[in-house]
Amino acid sequence: MKRIAIVHDWLPLYGGAERVLEQMLQVFPQADLFSMIDLIPPEARGFLLNKPVRTSFIQRLPFARKHYRSYLALMPLAVEQFDLRGYDLVISNSYAVAKGVLTGPDQLHICYCCSPIRYAWDMQAQYLEEGGLTSGLKGMIAKTVLHYIRLWDSRTAAGVNHFLTLSRYIGRRIKKTYGRESTVIYPPVDIDKFQVGGSKEDFYFTASRMVPYKRIDLIVEAFSRMPGRRLIVLGDGPEMAKVRSKAGPNVQLLGYQDDEVMRDHMQRARAFVFAAEEDFGIVPVEAQACGTPVIAYGKGGVRETVLAGVTGVFFDEQTVEAVVRVVEEFEGKPGGFDAAKVRANAERFSPALFRAEFAEFVEAKWSEFAAAL
């Protein structure tokens, strides 16, 4: 039986990348697990099958529990210290450094690349600006570290036999960054937690952490210019004051709410509004699982998860005017949207389908690889 190692970037909490890792472990429960750090408490380790995690020296550095990202410059060194000599198959689940593990010619390395390191490549300028690192000594150090990370990231792409990724959108980023082709297997969304509700009510809905790129301020400002249309917003974060300042009387800001409140609003809403440019975008899929159509900014992974005219509509610019126009277009669609068809589209992203496609891909590539040894 082949020995398998799964390498993950870091484990601070259960997020989007960890949902992918969870399904990988369901497919290969015998795999050993490696990660830069592991901060998951004992009561929350079910998604890891309660496996032990082999961590790097980053785990033992001062303040690593809260500030592990500050050790980015050491991450390439740390991931290269994992001793994987005893494994036949190495699977990296990477959005930062996991793909940089060292493997030999008799080992098959398959990388599920959530994205090349965003803040080192096309999002560097935004990262430096938001961190106040565009000038001065700290800025020079940050730019130097990111330059080094890019060189290392490019070089380590050659150590991957096959790339998988979560959308064609990220596949294009992989091609541009690494010069490599990739195969798309859409990430798992727990659609069974979301069911089609009763009749739709006369309000629009959006939900997100209030951070700049999510553009909740844009959605709120647009609806404030449409006083006859009601918008409900869930979420909190650094942009909350800015969002609140743009909210008219027809916009209701509920702040952070639990999953049950989120589901209830998704089921009852006329449409879910989404203005971010995301690699994939889990929440629009969850909305569709509720039978709720999506009004979305037409860039990024949402172009692959929402079917124009069938499960939602797109706007082409992140402007107030574009949002106002698309809401009018949405309301003018003859016959509206069929909740059953909207739900059926979401079922393309089930965990069961991810597991089946992932297992089929890995086993096929392993058969090819083993035959050539």
Side-chain angles (χ1 to χ4, degrees):
M1 180 180 292
K2 59 182 178 291
R3 291 195 64 199
I4 303 172
I6 297 179
V7 185
H8 188 72
D9 284 313
W10 39 72
L11 284 165
L13 47 76
Y14 180 68
E18 288 68 41
R19 297 185 193 198
V20 173
L21 174 62
E22 178 180 24
Q23 300 306 318
M24 289 179 173
L25 290 171
Q26 291 288 332
V27 174
F28 298 112
Q30 74 274 31
D32 291 330
L33 183 55
F34 296 77
S35 180
M36 296 292 97
I37 61 163
D38 176 16
L39 306 181
I40 306 298
E43 68 275 11
R45 302 185 70 83
F47 77 96
L48 297 175
L49 306 183
N50 295 303
K51 282 179 171 290
V53 178
R54 304 182 192 190
T55 58
S56 73
F57 66 80
I58 302 291
Q59 178 92 11
R60 300 182 294 277
L61 294 179
F63 312 111
R65 294 191 69 85
K66 288 188 176 180
H67 303 291
Y68 59 92
R69 291 178 187 270
S70 298
Y71 291 113
L72 177 64
L74 296 177
M75 293 288 186
L77 175 63
V79 77
E80 289 174 354
Q81 302 313 302
F82 286 141
D83 185 357
L84 303 178
R85 287 175 297 174
Y87 297 95
D88 306 298
L89 170 63
V90 176
I91 300 169
S92 57
N93 184 35
S94 182
Y95 54 92
V97 299
K99 81 168 195 357
V101 290
L102 301 179
T103 56
D106 292 337
Q107 294 173 297
L108 177 64
H109 180 185
I110 296 174
C111 175
Y112 190 90
C113 183
C114 300
S115 176
I117 309 174
R118 297 177 186 86
Y119 38 85
W121 292 99
D122 53 320
M123 292 182 68
Q124 176 186 265
Q126 179 181 332
Y127 168 75
L128 293 172
E129 183 177 347
E130 291 178 359
L133 298 170
T134 56
S135 61
L137 179 59
K138 286 186 177 180
M140 182 60 67
I141 293 172
K143 291 171 186 175
T144 301
V145 168
L146 292 176
H147 175 70
Y148 157 67
I149 290 290
R150 279 193 296 277
L151 295 175
W152 176 84
D153 193 36
S154 295
R155 178 184 62 77
T156 57
V160 176
N161 294 86
H162 303 283
F163 276 100
L164 290 167
T165 193
L166 50 73
S167 65
R168 295 191 300 273
Y169 174 69
I170 295 302
R172 294 192 295 274
R173 186 180 288 170
I174 290 170
K175 178 68 173 178
K176 187 174 185 66
T177 304
Y178 304 141
R180 298 286 301 277
E181 299 295 335
S182 57
T183 299
V184 174
I185 298 180
Y186 291 116
V189 180
D190 191 359
I191 59 172
D192 288 341
K193 287 174 57 178
F194 301 86
Q195 300 297 329
V196 178
S199 60
K200 296 299 184 184
E201 299 180 19
D202 194 20
F203 70 88
Y204 293 83
F205 177 60
T206 191
S208 172
R209 177 162 168 75
M210 304 285 185
V211 291
Y213 87 95
K214 294 289 189 178
R215 298 309 312 269
I216 301 300
D217 61 320
L218 170 66
I219 298 171
V220 167
E221 185 176 349
F223 274 85
S224 296
R225 294 194 190 180
M226 299 182 284
R229 297 180 173 107
R230 184 177 168 217
L231 174 70
I232 296 178
V233 182
L234 265 64
D236 204 347
E239 292 268 291
M240 187 60 163
K242 178 181 179 181
V243 170
R244 185 177 286 113
S245 70
K246 296 187 175 187
N250 62 319
V251 176
Q252 187 177 4
L253 303 175
L254 299 185
Y256 173 79
Q257 301 291 331
D258 62 24
D259 290 348
E260 186 174 344
V261 174
M262 174 92 154
R263 279 195 300 271
D264 175 61
H265 282 82
M266 272 189 176
Q267 289 173 330
R268 294 187 291 116
R270 189 169 183 177
F272 180 78
V273 188
F274 187 75
E277 182 179 347
E278 291 274 22
D279 299 340
F280 175 74
I282 289 175
V283 183
V285 175
E286 293 174 341
Q288 291 173 88
C290 294
T292 300
V294 176
I295 298 172
Y297 175 49
K299 288 196 69 176
V302 75
R303 271 287 185 186
E304 301 168 48
T305 62
V306 176
L307 304 179
V310 179
T311 72
V313 294
F314 296 114
F315 56 98
D316 295 330
E317 298 177 333
Q318 288 175 313
T319 63
V320 168
E321 294 74 20
V323 175
V324 171
R325 284 196 302 271
V326 79
V327 170
E328 293 173 350
E329 175 190 338
F330 174 84
E331 293 187 354
K333 183 180 184 299
F337 291 82
D338 184 332
K341 290 182 179 178
V342 176
R343 166 74 190 188
N345 183 55
E347 291 172 354
R348 295 191 292 133
F349 309 102
S350 71
L353 189 56
F354 174 88
R355 291 193 300 270
E357 292 182 352
F358 181 70
E360 181 181 8
F361 181 91
V362 172
E363 292 301 340
K365 296 306 180 185
W366 172 256
S367 295
E368 293 174 7
F369 183 78
L373 290 177

